[in-house]
């Protein structure tokens, strides 16, 4: 986004042929300075709020900074410790992976299913679209996570309903086997954003294809598998990458639902929550910085793998002739 | 820990809002008074910042005391800020890291070493020597709780002690004598089994048990350990107990819970106030807690709830007087003299004693404590008398402030015991993991 918007004003106006090349270049340079002036706030922001903190964070990840004493260089100790000597680190990786593997397919599946239903809906489409989209707008807030916590707490609505049908699970929030699914459900409930993208993708598919398939005697399911899925694969890919990156960084719901502690028994100790705990509760900022860089590397690696594999399953209509 | 999770006085939303409102209004009034004093006062305008945590009652009383200080020290304005415990600790840590520590700050026992070691607190030895801060009416042993590597960095603001809130009516029904200062952990086990054997039901139909499960509570473990002659920390970098000690303690609690004598795992996990504790929800007959939050129990549960000593090992008490909170001066304070005056005023002025009363547990100043004690009744009288009884019974001297890694060790303690409760680890595995983690925390 930002690169597009920043380049636009910097593009030189087409110079006329009457000017000799050297003068033209100077003129171009002269005309560029307002662009840089207008860019300054953005550049200062990028430098001060992004690049410098990133550099500091990288430096701190090689130190034992504890907020109070000046940081000491410890080399790779933070990294080796998290990889070889910290069982909680690997548990947090496991919890996060479990969450990604369960929540992302569920969320995208639901989003696609609802989008398919909405596509063929004539009346009230706008209403349903907004209704399903609303949770995506609300869901990231603290208040919804608090409501969620109250729903799934011991004595809350969910345990009450389950009790009345004879399932005595107690509060999900206080049960280490179920607590992570409270967070999963909260995420899946926010399927509105990918749904809207799916809906847009579905509307791009030419009705001719369906008509032709129907003439050939293909049923609804056949049409879905043979037309919708391949035609939609770029959109699926886009949503998948986006959701996976987001899911690795899940924080707010886990923080609120577990009261910031990742409990019970570390069952909702997601990677980012553990990172926060190391940094702000245990005052190991160096370790937390190292964890952040490991997360960045992991997300980059997974995104790269996704892009590599996408060549075999993502189908772009404009590539057809190549 | 002064205001432990299991026994912190319930802090209703209203109280938080009220405290916030008080904070806001004082922020406004102090700015206004700063304007008014700047014009007509003799000394130059000095502004001190003072922050603390607590409920609305404490906030109102503290404000009153601070206003009195301002009146007596024309030209000095005190800007106050307060919050609830959890948020306060994080805010203070961030402020301290940025060099913006308040001039005067209320501190948790667990913060003292970290802040003193990190150079965020001013050493108080000089201002104590020149009597700017007077400590003659305080117990020498007790002052030790604010020291780090031999220097005094903080002073206790209140004296608290662990205890045991129990329902005397249930104990009577089960034929168990009222707990005495010499009752043992075996007596405690027998009492819990006796109560469970009554076959009572909680409001939601589940079996009623003897007590909350203290296995995840570092304070209860410390009491147990001290009653056996041990201690939590051998030094600022070393644990004072072994894997075997912790395994024994967790095996004991784990067994009692499995036998149904103490609260179930799911109830222990969600207990974080008087209302949500097993006793508060009608699930158990007793709760390990502190003296300061105790008056909340009879209010919630009725007059049959009393405050008793924690169990001993063969008569040796593990409880000790602990600072409920401390007060310190920021190392980079621009007005250390005035800050010291404020600290002295809060700790030693008789009128302040009357205003603050027991809002921060028993005042450390003996004269003030005795004076305020005369006005006590009901549960407050009970905890005062409890402290007197325990003092007569004989307690070991308190340890110095816990090492800087203790905050992390304490949360690890809860978490590792949760792993035991849910069968994710055996007591020994959990104990080994805790010790590994504690050693990492203490080393760095």
């Amino acid at each position: 986004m930002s690169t597009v918007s920043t380049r636009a004003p910097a593009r030189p106006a087409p110079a006329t042929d009457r000017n000799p090349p050297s003068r033209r270049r100077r003129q171009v340079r002269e005309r560029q300075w307002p662009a840089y002036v207008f860019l300054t706030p953005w550049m200062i922001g990028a430098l001060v709020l992004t690049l410098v903190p990133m550099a500091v964070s990288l430096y701190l990840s090689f130190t034992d900074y504890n907020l109070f004493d000046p940081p000491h260089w410890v080399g790779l100790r933070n990294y080796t410790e998290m990889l070889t000597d910290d069982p909680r680190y690997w548990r947090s990786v496991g919890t996060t992976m479990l969450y990604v593997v369960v929540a992302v397919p569920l969320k995208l599946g639901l989003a696609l299913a609802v989008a398919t239903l909405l596509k063929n809906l004539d009346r009230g489409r706008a209403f349903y679209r907004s209704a399903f989209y609303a949770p995506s707008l609300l869901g990231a807030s603290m208040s919804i996570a608090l409501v969620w916590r109250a729903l799934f707490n011991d004595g809350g609505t969910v345990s009450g309903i389950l009790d009345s049908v004879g399932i005595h699970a107690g509060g999900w929030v206080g049960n280490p086997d179920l607590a992570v699914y409270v967070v999963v459900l909260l995420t899946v409930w926010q399927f509105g954003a990918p749904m809207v993208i799916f809906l847009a993708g579905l509307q791009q598919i030419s009705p001719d294809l369906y008509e032709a398939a129907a003439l050939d005697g293909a049923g609804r399911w056949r049409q879905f598998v043979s037309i919708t899925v391949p035609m939609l694969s770029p959109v699926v890919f886009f949503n998948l990458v986006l959701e996976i990156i987001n899911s690795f960084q899940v924080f707010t719901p886990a923080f609120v639902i577990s009261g910031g502690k990742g409990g019970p028994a570390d069952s909702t100790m997601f990677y980012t929550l553990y990172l926060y705990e190391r940094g702000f509760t245990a005052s190991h900022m160096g370790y937390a910085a190292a964890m952040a860089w490991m997360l960045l590397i992991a997300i980059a690696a997974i995104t790269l793998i996704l892009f590599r594999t996408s060549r075999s399953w993502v189908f772009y209509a404009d590539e057809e002739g190549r | 820990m002064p205001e432990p999770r299991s026994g912190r006085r319930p802090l209703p939303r209203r109280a938080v809002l009220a405290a916030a409102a008080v904070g806001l209004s004082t922020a406004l009034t102090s700015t206004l008074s700063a304007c008014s004093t700047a014009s007509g006062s003799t000394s130059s305008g000095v502004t001190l910042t003072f922050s603390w945590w607590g409920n609305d009652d404490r906030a109102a009383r503290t404000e009153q005391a601070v206003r009195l200080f301002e009146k007596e020290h024309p030209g000095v304005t005190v800007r106050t800020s307060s919050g609830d415990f959890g948020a306060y600790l994080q805010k203070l840590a961030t402020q301290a890291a940025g060099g913006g520590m308040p001039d005067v700050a209320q501190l948790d026992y667990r913060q003292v070493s970290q802040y003193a070691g990190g150079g965020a607190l001013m050493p108080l030895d000089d201002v104590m020597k020149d009597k700017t801060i007077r400590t003659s009416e305080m117990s020498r042993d007790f002052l030790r709780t604010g020291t780090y590597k031999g220097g005094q960095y903080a002073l206790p603001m209140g004296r608290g002690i662990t205890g045991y809130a129990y329902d005397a009516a249930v104990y009577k029904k089960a034929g168990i004598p009222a707990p005495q200062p010499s009752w043992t952990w075996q007596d405690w086990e027998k009492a819990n089994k006796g109560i469970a054997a009554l076959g009572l039901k909680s409001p939601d139909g589940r079996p009623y048990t003897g007590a909350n499960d203290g296995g995840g509570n570092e304070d209860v473990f410390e009491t147990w350990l001290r009653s056996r002659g041990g201690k939590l920390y051998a030094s600022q970098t070393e644990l004072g107990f072994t894997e075997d000690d912790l395994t024994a303690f967790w095996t004991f609690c784990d067994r009692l819970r499995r036998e149904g004598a103490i609260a179930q795992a799911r109830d222990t996990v969600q207990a974080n106030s008087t209302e949500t504790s097993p006793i508060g929800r009608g699930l158990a007959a007793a709760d390990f807690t502190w003296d300061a939050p105790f008056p909340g129990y009879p209010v919630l549960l009725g007059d049959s709830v009393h405050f008793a000593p924690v169990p001993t090992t063969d008569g040796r008490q593990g409880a000790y007087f602990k600072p409920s909170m401390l007060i310190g001066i920021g190392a980079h304070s621009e007005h250390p003299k005035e800050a010291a005056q404020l600290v002295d005023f809060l700790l030693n002025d008789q009128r302040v004693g009357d205003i603050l009363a027991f809002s921060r547990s028993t005042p450390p100043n003996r004269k003030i404590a005795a004076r305020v004690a005369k006005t006590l009744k009901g549960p407050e009288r009970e905890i005062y008398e409890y402290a007197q009884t325990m003092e007569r019974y004989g307690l070991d001297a308190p340890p110095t402030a816990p090492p800087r890694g203790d905050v992390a060790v304490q949360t690890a303690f809860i978490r590792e015991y949760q792993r035991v409760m849910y069968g994710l680890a055996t007591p020994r595995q959990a104990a080994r993991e805790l010790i590994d983690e504690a050693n990492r925390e203490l080393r760095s």
Side-chain angles (χ1 to χ4, degrees), chain A:
Chain A
M1 275 303 279
S2 49
T3 47
V4 174
S5 59
T6 53
R7 258 184 224 150
R11 190 178 298 146
T16 51
D17 277 343
R18 262 177 300 166
N19 298 324
S22 63
R23 222 183 118 200
R24 198 192 303 164
R25 211 175 298 131
R26 196 179 332 123
Q27 222 171 31
V28 166
R29 213 179 300 132
E30 274 164 8
R31 285 196 196 137
Q32 274 175 347
W33 73 261
Y36 286 109
V37 170
F38 281 112
L39 270 175
T40 316
W42 180 85
M43 284 197 290
I44 291 173
L47 203 68
V48 174
L49 300 175
T50 307
L51 289 176
V52 171
M54 275 181 82
V56 172
S57 152
L58 185 61
Y59 164 69
L60 287 180
S61 78
F62 297 107
T63 70
D64 64 354
Y65 185 48
N66 66 7
L67 284 177
F68 292 94
D69 302 318
H72 292 137
W73 187 265
V74 295
L76 286 171
R77 195 182 81 187
N78 289 328
Y79 292 92
T80 52
E81 183 175 319
M82 78 175 66
L83 297 177
T84 60
D85 197 23
D86 185 357
R88 296 185 68 210
Y89 176 82
W90 288 108
R91 282 207 290 272
S92 79
V93 170
T95 307
T96 310
M97 295 295 266
L98 171 79
Y99 168 81
V100 172
V101 167
V102 175
V104 172
L106 272 179
K107 185 176 184 178
L108 292 184
L110 196 63
L112 182 56
V114 174
T116 314
L117 290 176
L118 285 187
K119 185 201 160 200
N120 298 321
L121 196 71
D122 291 329
R123 290 173 58 192
R125 196 199 300 186
F127 168 75
Y128 284 110
R129 209 187 299 182
S130 348
F132 284 122
Y133 188 68
S136 297
L137 294 174
L138 302 171
S141 69
M142 289 287 264
S143 50
I144 293 291
L146 282 170
V147 169
W148 218 255
R149 182 187 162 90
L151 278 177
F152 286 95
N153 224 336
D154 203 356
T157 317
V158 172
S159 76
I161 292 169
L162 289 179
D163 278 344
S164 68
V165 296
I167 304 167
H168 301 289
W172 288 28
V173 170
N175 184 330
D177 296 328
L178 296 174
V180 66
Y181 295 103
V182 177
V183 185
V184 168
L185 280 175
L186 177 55
T187 309
V188 172
W189 179 62
Q190 299 164 40
F191 64 84
M195 180 201 75
V196 169
I197 299 172
F198 276 136
L199 207 51
L202 286 172
Q203 281 160 351
Q204 292 297 313
I205 303 173
S206 158
D208 301 350
L209 291 173
Y210 291 104
E211 264 169 42
L215 282 177
D216 288 344
R220 292 231 152 201
W221 178 248
R222 184 76 222 183
Q223 288 179 18
F224 180 77
V225 173
S226 299
I227 301 171
T228 312
V229 170
M231 293 303 285
L232 207 59
S233 59
V235 181
V236 173
F237 177 64
F238 175 78
N239 271 336
L240 190 68
V241 172
L242 221 59
E243 287 301 327
I244 285 181
I245 292 176
N246 280 338
S247 299
F248 269 106
Q249 302 176 65
V250 61
F251 180 78
T252 316
F255 183 84
V256 176
I257 285 167
S258 70
K261 300 216 157 45
D266 265 2
S267 58
T268 55
M269 186 55 89
F270 291 104
Y271 194 93
T272 49
L273 197 53
Y274 186 47
L275 191 160
Y276 174 84
E277 195 243 73
R278 289 287 88 192
F280 289 93
T281 311
S283 304
H284 295 307
M285 279 295 167
Y287 196 85
M291 280 189 71
W293 281 92
M294 285 303 283
L295 180 64
L296 182 80
I297 292 167
I299 289 179
I302 286 168
T303 312
L304 196 71
I305 292 170
L306 277 176
F307 270 91
R308 281 279 153 80
T309 61
S310 76
R311 289 175 194 166
S312 62
W313 63 272
V314 175
F315 169 77
Y316 292 98
D318 56 355
E319 281 177 352
E320 217 167 356
R322 283 179 219 168

Side-chain angles (χ1 to χ4, degrees), chain B residues 59-83:
Chain B
R61 287 169 187 268
T62 309
E63 284 309 323
Q64 212 182 326
V66 164
R67 292 295 89 83
L68 189 63
F69 176 79
E70 286 181 334
K71 214 159 130 197
E72 306 234 317
H73 297 81
V76 180
T77 307
V78 183
R79 253 173 239 253
T80 57
S81 71
S82 63

Side-chain angles (χ1 to χ4, degrees), chain A residues 65-69 77 81 85-88 91 149 153-154 170-171 174-176 261 263-266 276-278 280-284, chain B residues 5 90 93 96-97 114-115 117-118 120 206 266-267 269-270 272 281 404 407-408 411 415-416 418-419 422 424 433 437 440-441 443-444:
Chain A
Y65 185 48
N66 66 7
L67 284 177
F68 292 94
D69 302 318
R77 195 182 81 187
E81 183 175 319
D85 197 23
D86 185 357
R88 296 185 68 210
R91 282 207 290 272
R149 182 187 162 90
N153 224 336
D154 203 356
N175 184 330
K261 300 216 157 45
D266 265 2
Y276 174 84
E277 195 243 73
R278 289 287 88 192
F280 289 93
T281 311
S283 304
H284 295 307
Chain B
R5 280 165 51 72
Q90 275 183 11
Q114 188 168 39
Y115 283 46
R206 288 190 289 138
R266 59 186 258 199
D267 302 316
V269 164
Q270 68 171 315
N272 51 23
R281 297 170 67 212
R404 51 204 306 181
V407 181
T411 53
R415 192 183 55 245
E416 289 299 337
Q418 285 181 350
R419 288 173 50 78
Y422 286 109
L424 298 169
E433 250 186 58
E437 191 174 337
R440 276 204 305 272
E441 293 297 337
R443 178 199 65 201
S444 44

